[in-house]
Amino acid sequence: MTGDPQKAKVEPLRKTMPCPECRRPSVREHYPFCSDRCRSLDLSRWLNGSYAIPVSEDETKADGADED
């Protein structure tokens, strides 16, 4: 091989996207975020309950209880 392996071009695995927190370009180490700070902020919101998955309005049907 004539080429230097350390100078080989590495293709990115994913397209760079804006960080969901601050809109700066994301980096591979923290994808899809730009930094550990933004990643931690997002995790904190999930843990504090700021983000929630919507539930059905009629919770009796969601539990499987029938009123027949």
Side-chain angles (χ1 to χ4, degrees):
M1 290 175 52
T2 60
D4 186 6
Q6 292 187 355
K7 293 190 180 208
K9 183 176 179 181
V10 177
E11 292 292 324
L13 297 176
R14 298 180 185 107
K15 181 181 174 184
T16 301
M17 297 177 58
C19 175
E21 289 294 320
C22 67
R23 311 308 291 166
R24 287 187 288 184
S26 61
V27 294
R28 186 175 186 170
E29 294 81 25
H30 305 291
Y31 193 83
F33 303 99
C34 68
S35 65
D36 188 49
R37 177 187 172 277
C38 285
R39 183 173 51 178
S40 296
L41 285 172
D42 185 70
L43 177 60
S44 175
R45 286 191 184 107
W46 278 103
L47 295 176
N48 289 330
S50 296
Y51 298 141
I53 299 172
V55 296
S56 65
E57 291 181 20
D58 188 0
E59 292 186 16
T60 58
K61 290 183 182 177
D63 292 338
D66 292 329
E67 295 183 22
D68 291 329

